[in-house]
Amino acid sequence: MERIAVRHLRKTFQLKAGQSVLSDGRRTDRVPVLSGVDLTVRRGEFVTLVGPSGSGKSVLLDVIAGLTEPTSGTTEIDGQTVTRPHPKTAYVFQQYALFPWRTALGNVEYALEVRNVPARERREKARYFLDLFGLRGFEDRFPSQLSGGMQQRVAIARALSGDPEVLLMDEPFAALDAQTRDILQSELLRIWETIGTTVVFVTHSIDEAIFLADRIVVMTARPASVKEIIPVDLPRPRPNDLRNTPDFNAYRARVWEALRDEVRKAQGDWSLASAYAH
Ligand SMILES: Nc1ncnc2c1ncn2[C@@H]1O[C@H](COP(=O)(O)OP(=O)(O)O)[C@@H](O)[C@H]1O
Ligand SMILES: [Mg+2]
């Protein structure tokens, strides 16, 4: 059964007076961002979304999250139209959106406080999720005392502690160094394999998109629609050295092939487009 159904989603931003922008050489105060996105995600599926920078990926996640209203079209979660943030949807951003005045444990507990989980259960659950991410011993540290990778682990632990049915992740590892990123990808998969949450994960790294996904959704340049969906038929659990196999390489070529023209369209510059290739 499908967990998420996005149907003919359109989003045009109406800018306020004096905020007009140049588009195709003309001044306009309407910015079309999504131009008819259709996508379904199965229960427990891990879908990654790639597309040129500025194509509307974050806007799409915001609409699925119920944070932004679409101009037309619908998003359904378990058959119910999303009109506001769904209690069973959690969101992880690129920036570690942690409260600086709360410890790691306090940050994870926060997600449970707002759900009125009793104090004792809250503490146990928060510890459980921090443990899952190897953060035992770091419970009492404040975000400023943690590395970027650890902060993002806390942010994901916090998102998962509310037992979300849908986890939306917007370039959550983009600010991390390459090694930390690879490690976090493996950790996320390991945990996802045990809890089975449905995940929609935006990235601009082709490798990350392949390594994580059951299916990769390639978006067009803005205004965005779905250009191609590429099923990733690689075995799970996925070992780190999967990235060095011929099969993985074949996916790299295939995703880049689908993405290349869109990146060119979006940036009009081949040298910038080639920056996407790694
Ligand atoms: N609130 C807003 N008002 C006007 N334009 C917006 C707003 N939010 C996003 N946009 C525009 O929508 C486009 C897509 O943005 P975004 O979804 O952030 O792209 P990305 O694919 O990089 O995540 C961009 O051109 C951005 O300027
Ligand atoms: Mg974005």
Side-chain angles (χ1 to χ4, degrees), residues 35-247:
S35 66
V37 175
D38 285 289
L39 176 67
T40 57
V41 182
R42 288 186 296 274
R43 197 177 283 256
E45 194 177 17
F46 201 125
V47 163
T48 55
L49 252 153
V50 293
S53 178
S55 60
K57 302 179 297 297
S58 294
V59 171
L60 176 59
L61 275 204
D62 285 350
V63 174
I64 297 174
L67 299 169
T68 295
E69 207 184 330
T71 306
S72 64
T74 55
T75 301
E76 290 172 8
I77 292 184
D78 291 335
Q80 280 196 317
T81 304
V82 173
T83 51
R84 60 195 142 84
H86 191 281
K88 285 291 178 188
T89 300
Y91 208 144
V92 179
F93 303 91
Q94 177 176 340
Q95 285 313 322
Y96 335 113
L98 299 177
F99 300 122
W101 60 86
R102 281 186 171 230
T103 62
L105 190 69
N107 266 282
V108 179
E109 280 195 58
Y110 175 81
L112 302 163
E113 276 169 44
V114 297
R115 286 179 172 76
N116 297 319
V117 175
R120 188 154 158 211
E121 193 185 330
R122 214 156 66 202
R123 182 128 309 191
E124 274 170 18
K125 215 162 172 191
R127 282 187 189 282
Y128 170 78
F129 279 97
L130 287 173
D131 279 1
L132 268 187
F133 281 93
L135 288 168
R136 180 172 296 181
F138 294 92
E139 294 92 340
D140 297 330
R141 299 250 190 129
F142 288 93
S144 62
Q145 300 170 314
L146 296 170
S147 68
M150 285 177 164
Q151 290 183 48
Q152 207 55 326
R153 286 180 177 92
V154 175
I156 301 170
R158 183 173 66 182
L160 291 175
S161 68
D163 300 322
E165 276 152 12
V166 172
L167 179 62
L168 304 174
M169 307 183 83
D170 196 355
E171 306 201 23
F173 304 151
L176 305 175
D177 63 79
Q179 289 80 9
T180 307
R181 197 174 176 145
D182 284 3
I183 293 167
L184 272 167
Q185 287 166 11
S186 295
E187 286 183 11
L188 177 62
L189 281 189
R190 174 175 54 81
I191 290 161
W192 168 76
E193 275 154 16
T194 56
I195 62 180
T197 309
T198 307
V199 184
V200 182
F201 186 111
V202 172
T203 176
H204 65 255
S205 156
I206 291 176
D207 277 26
E208 184 165 80
I210 301 165
F211 188 75
L212 295 174
D214 291 320
R215 289 186 301 151
I216 302 170
V217 178
V218 181
M219 308 292 291
T220 66
R222 186 173 66 81
S225 57
V226 173
K227 171 158 185 170
E228 194 176 333
I229 295 184
I230 301 173
V232 180
D233 191 17
L234 294 170
R236 293 190 190 272
R238 295 185 177 165
N240 271 317
D241 57 10
L242 185 69
R243 295 181 181 86
N244 310 321
T245 60
D247 281 351

